[in-house]
């Protein structure tokens, strides 16, 4: 009797601890886990989620014995990848477009994108607020990094900028950005002088921030790299670094001996593969990433072949946001047949740089440039279009997938938490119906998204899309006289 009481006491003492250790919020069973870093798969795995973190990954049978959960997802025949990152998006169009921009946030979730990097528009204060609300759980949307207001020159083309015309202005700009707790710095070249551009790049690093941006025609790409730029946005700047006489072209432009059109003609004609590889190896050595944003350029360069008037995705884009597309569409429509042909040729010429960057060891980040102004470049689906172009232009599906899952976390120094399906990492996951290592189109075949531990099954994802579609339809009706 005494022995039985002792055993019972031991069991009662042990059972709460055992039970607590086994409880979880979610188990994904029988999934094939994709190791993006190694470009391999591991079949019949179970992934255990508690809160916003993965707490166990392993053989399904063993995990099933050790863990119980409130919810189980059958991953049989499906492939589990880390959440997707779009590393170049925009919000803007003025205060009257705030709600239409806000309605874009669920579209990212619906397409498996759990993190986005806002590269500045003309609503910086609003986007900073959204970032904090998403982090606090009071606004539904992907995790949001933002540059806040971009640094620019005096009276620039772009609105919503911090205008800098002196060193004092630049110091004030960094004070504002620090006060705004921005995640990185965006610098553009509409009217910013070359010397202040370089000071802004080096100043960002001095303030503990990564600098991203466009590079003035009057500078070489190498000068921006030497100043400490962390990411080059848009592939045409990387192309410029492969032009043999880039320094001479930059000097002539700076001195006013040639205009922008003449400079571009010389750049188009002067690309050299060996020069490019040397420059790109330098990028890799200094940890400079490149965000190609191929899809945005492709859309504009081939508007003569597809005017996108019947795109089904327009049902998710508010009428005022669609109105911002007109500027670029009208410019493209004014092109002569010769200019259209040159546009096509330039797209292919620049896109051919992509595999050279990969060959040189440069980290390529997937980003869409989606948002206001950038015609028919859609938030959500645009990232999948970008990945398809990566493969079409010479990357493997594994390399393209890495650009959308691991490059972003690497740039922000967060690979210890994101970019892998492993214990201790964030529970940002996408369950696919096909293997993306075999066919990059598989990233579009989304069964379930897990974001910060919250589960969106196919029905919930479709509900996000329907909610946005209904809101856009209501805006259209209200705008009709």
């Amino acid at each position: 009797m005494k022995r039985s009481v002792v055993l019972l006491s031991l069991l009662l003492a042990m059972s709460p601890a055992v039970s607590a250790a086994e409880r979880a919020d979610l188990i994904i069973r029988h999934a094939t886990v994709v190791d993006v870093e190694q470009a391999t798969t591991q079949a019949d795995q179970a992934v255990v989620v508690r809160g916003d973190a993965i707490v166990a990954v392993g053989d399904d049978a063993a995990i099933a014995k050790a863990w119980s959960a409130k919810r189980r997802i059958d991953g049989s025949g499906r492939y589990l990848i880390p959440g997707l990152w779009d590393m170049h998006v925009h919000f803007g169009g003025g205060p009257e477009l705030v709600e239409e921009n806000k309605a874009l946030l669920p579209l990212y979730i619906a397409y498996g994108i759990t993190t986005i990097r806002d590269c500045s528009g003309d609503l910086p204060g609003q986007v900073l607020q959204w970032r904090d609300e998403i982090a606090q759980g009071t606004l539904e949307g992907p995790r949001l990094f933002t540059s806040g207001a971009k640094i620019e020159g005096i009276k620039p083309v772009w609105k919503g900028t911090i205008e800098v015309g002196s060193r004092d202005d630049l110091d004030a700009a960094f004070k504002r950005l620090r006060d705004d707790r921005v995640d990185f710095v965006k610098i553009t070249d509409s009217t910013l002088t070359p010397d202040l551009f370089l000071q802004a790049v080096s100043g960002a690093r001095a303030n503990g921030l990564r600098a991203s941006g466009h590079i003035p025609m009057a500078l070489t790409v190498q000068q921006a790299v030497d100043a400490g730029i962390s990411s080059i946005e848009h592939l045409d700047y990387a192309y410029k670094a492969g032009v043999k006489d880039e320094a001479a072209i930059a000097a002539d432009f700076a001195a006013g001996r040639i205009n922008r059109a003449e400079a571009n003609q010389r750049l188009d004609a002067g690309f050299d593969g060996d020069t490019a590889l040397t420059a790109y190896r330098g990028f890799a050595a200094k940890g400079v990433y490149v965000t190609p944003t191929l899809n945005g350029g492709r859309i504009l360069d081939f508007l003569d072949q597809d005017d996108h008037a019947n795109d089904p995705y327009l049902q998710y884009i508010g009428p005022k946001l669609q109105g911002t597309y007109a500027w670029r569409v009208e410019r493209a429509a004014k092109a002569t047949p010769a200019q259209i042909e040159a546009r096509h040729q330039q797209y292919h010429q620049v896109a051919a740089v992509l595999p050279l960057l990969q060959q040189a060891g440069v980290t390529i980040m997937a980003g869409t440039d989606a948002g206001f102004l950038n015609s028919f470049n859609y938030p959500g689906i645009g990232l999948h279009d970008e990945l398809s172009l990566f493969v079409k232009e010479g990357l493997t599906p594994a390399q393209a997938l890495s650009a959308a899952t691991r490059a972003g976390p690497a740039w922000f120094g967060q690979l210890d938490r994101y970019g892998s399906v492993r214990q201790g990492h964030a529970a940002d996951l996408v369950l696919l119906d096909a293997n993306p290592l075999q066919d990059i189109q598989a990233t579009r075949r989304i069964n379930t998204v897990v974001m910060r531990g919250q589960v969106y099954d196919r029905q919930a994802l479709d509900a996000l899309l329907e909610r946005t579609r209904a809101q856009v339809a209501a805006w259209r009706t209200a705008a009709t006289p």
Side-chain angles (χ1 to χ4, degrees), residues 81-100:
I81 64 170
L84 300 169
W85 291 45
D86 187 335
M87 287 293 283
H88 194 122
V89 309
H90 294 286
F91 298 97
E96 67 277 13
L97 269 70
V98 166
E99 289 306 311
E100 288 193 15

Side-chain angles (χ1 to χ4, degrees), residues 15-27:
S15 60
V18 172
S19 178
E22 290 179 344
R23 291 197 193 105
D25 299 314
L26 169 70
I27 298 179

